[in-house]
Amino acid sequence: MSFRKHESGASKRRALKIRNEYEAKIPKLSNFFRPIENPAFEQKMKNTVSEIDTNTDKKILTELEINNDPALWPSMSETVREKSSLRDYKNQKRYFSCNFFIRTLVNGEKHERLWLMYSESTGNVFCFVCMLFNSNSSMNPFVKNGFSNWKKGDERISGHENSSVHQVCTMKWLHRLNNKTNINKQLTKQLEVEENYWIDILKRVVEAIRFLSTRGLAFRGSHEVIGVTDNGNYLGILELIAKFDPVLKAHIENYGNKGRGSVSYISKTICEELIGIMSLKVFDHIVDEIIKSKYFGIVVDSTPDLAHIDQLSIIIRYCLNGMVHERFLGFVSFHSHTGEALATTVLEFLKRSGIDIANCRAKTYDNAAKMSGRYHGLQA
């Protein structure tokens, strides 16, 4: 009777399927990065608002200057006021005046009415502090349906502003804005501490990956266990840093060797994700330099990998700021060894990368006929 020493292929495939399903449920590290801010795009989105035409019930896109401070809303266009704030009286027509957002004191000082908000859909103004904190608001026009009697605008708005109910609601609003009395202050502080902790760990992990990448050293070893001598350079460097870094030392003691299902930021999965993110940044930087230098030379060669799959290695040589640079862009898999197929692969790669082949001024290949052939090779 013989006993199987290793797992069967079916059991390995079943285990691999379970592992892939588990990893698919884990959020990717890139999901936790904030997107790169684009001030021009954000400003364009802020300046574009959707107006509702109450007559045709259609949305009209109008460019408006929008600010979080309601007192700075005088930049509101006349189109909005004409469509929503028009009120017909016996002998005249009146519109909402942006001067209602400004309060003039007896001594001539002017203050912004931050509590007053204008509704574009109804053309009325509301008091948002009373809407939030006034429980008896059924008879208050600034809360229920909004105020729109522009003929008595100054009088009624000032009267509401000086009322005891509005002042009580304003004090409640200011009390909520005070960080010292905010009930969420402690929760926010705990969240910031936790966020800063993981950012500090991530910085150390990133520096370890950069150190190994720039020197072309191997990352992983025979084991993925912290404390073992053959666990690879990546975990070895983190262990070395932890000897002199209390933060990383405590992190390894608390989260090291926890296995699957435990977030530690030092696992091989996170390491590979960070390598991928860094490689994209480096690739984009190289492409930007190539485009900036405009003219370049290309070096192409093919070689099989460990899986016996042929790949093209593509290298670009260019001159920038008086210095010659030779950059490796990557490996590209191909499945046909004809000169036409090789050329198509290279051209598609350059097109995807945003590099114009028309600016190529030099080509270098090996001596294989399919590569350097004058009539049917890649060079042709």
Side-chain angles (χ1 to χ4, degrees), residues 70-89 93-102 113 115-120 122-126 142 146-151 153-154 157:
L72 299 180
W73 286 2
S75 56
M76 199 165 34
S77 66
E78 293 295 334
T79 306
V80 177
R81 285 183 282 178
E82 290 178 1
K83 288 183 177 296
S84 57
S85 68
L86 173 63
R87 298 295 180 265
D88 284 321
Y89 295 92
K93 294 181 179 180
R94 287 183 178 267
Y95 299 92
F96 170 78
S97 175
C98 295
N99 294 328
F100 292 149
F101 286 127
I102 306 297
R113 287 188 172 116
W115 55 269
L116 189 63
M117 300 191 72
Y118 177 81
S119 170
E120 296 179 9
T122 63
N124 302 337
V125 290
F126 293 82
F142 287 89
F147 174 78
S148 62
N149 188 1
W150 312 133
K151 202 170 184 180
D154 290 324
I157 291 176

Side-chain angles (χ1 to χ4, degrees), residues 116 168 266-267 279 298 331:
L116 189 63
V168 171
I266 58 177
S267 66
S279 65
I298 186 171
F331 292 107

Side-chain angles (χ1 to χ4, degrees), residues 3 7 16 25-26 62 91 111 119 126 133 135 150 176 225-226 237 329 333 351-353 364 372:
F3 296 94
E7 292 184 85
L16 178 61
K25 297 179 182 179
I26 301 177
T62 305
N91 299 323
H111 294 271
S119 170
F126 293 82
F133 303 108
S135 57
W150 312 133
R176 292 290 184 92
V225 180
I226 296 177
I237 288 178
L329 293 185
S333 300
K351 184 178 180 180
R352 289 196 307 268
S353 304
T364 304
S372 60

Side-chain angles (χ1 to χ4, degrees), residues 6-36:
H6 304 286
E7 292 184 85
S8 64
S11 61
K12 289 182 179 179
R13 289 191 293 271
R14 186 165 51 251
L16 178 61
K17 181 180 179 181
I18 295 174
R19 184 168 69 251
N20 292 338
E21 291 177 353
Y22 172 78
E23 291 180 352
K25 297 179 182 179
I26 301 177
K28 297 298 182 181
L29 184 65
S30 57
N31 295 342
F32 299 95
F33 287 97
R34 294 179 179 178
I36 300 175

Side-chain angles (χ1 to χ4, degrees), residues 77-271:
S77 66
E78 293 295 334
T79 306
V80 177
R81 285 183 282 178
E82 290 178 1
K83 288 183 177 296
S84 57
S85 68
L86 173 63
R87 298 295 180 265
D88 284 321
Y89 295 92
K90 291 183 178 180
N91 299 323
Q92 59 182 340
K93 294 181 179 180
R94 287 183 178 267
Y95 299 92
F96 170 78
S97 175
C98 295
N99 294 328
F100 292 149
F101 286 127
I102 306 297
R103 178 188 180 186
T104 304
L105 302 181
V106 180
N107 59 1
E109 294 182 1
K110 293 185 178 182
H111 294 271
E112 303 166 355
R113 287 188 172 116
L114 301 179
W115 55 269
L116 189 63
M117 300 191 72
Y118 177 81
S119 170
E120 296 179 9
S121 60
T122 63
N124 302 337
V125 290
F126 293 82
C127 175
F128 83 91
V129 293
C130 292
M131 293 177 67
L132 292 175
F133 303 108
N134 185 9
S135 57
N136 259 331
S137 58
S138 58
M139 301 301 295
N140 191 338
F142 287 89
V143 177
K144 186 178 180 181
N145 298 319
F147 174 78
S148 62
N149 188 1
W150 312 133
K151 202 170 184 180
K152 298 183 178 180
D154 290 324
E155 177 185 349
R156 297 293 297 277
I157 291 176
S158 299
H160 175 78
E161 189 173 35
N162 295 326
S163 65
S164 59
V165 176
H166 173 80
Q167 292 177 359
V168 171
C169 295
T170 302
M171 290 303 298
K172 290 181 180 180
W173 174 53
L174 295 176
H175 184 73
R176 292 290 184 92
L177 292 179
N178 189 357
N179 290 330
K180 295 182 179 179
T181 59
N182 194 335
I183 192 173
N184 295 326
K185 181 183 178 181
Q186 293 299 327
L187 295 176
T188 304
K189 186 176 181 180
Q190 292 177 5
L191 182 61
E192 289 179 354
V193 171
E194 186 74 9
E195 181 180 356
N196 292 332
Y197 171 79
W198 288 105
I199 290 176
D200 291 339
I201 297 300
L202 187 61
K203 288 180 179 179
R204 289 158 172 80
V205 172
V206 168
E207 288 303 321
I209 294 175
R210 287 180 58 187
F211 176 82
L212 295 174
S213 301
T214 53
R215 286 159 177 78
L217 301 176
F219 278 76
R220 298 166 63 180
S222 302
H223 300 281
E224 299 291 337
V225 180
I226 296 177
V228 180
T229 55
D230 55 350
N231 56 8
N233 294 327
Y234 170 63
L235 294 179
I237 288 178
L238 294 180
E239 292 180 35
L240 177 62
I241 298 174
K243 291 183 178 180
F244 308 96
D245 187 355
V247 176
L248 188 57
K249 180 180 179 181
H251 180 78
I252 291 178
E253 292 176 353
N254 296 330
Y255 297 95
N257 298 333
K258 289 289 185 179
R260 295 184 179 275
S262 177
V263 179
S264 64
Y265 276 16
I266 58 177
S267 66
K268 63 179 182 357
T269 304
I270 299 299
C271 178

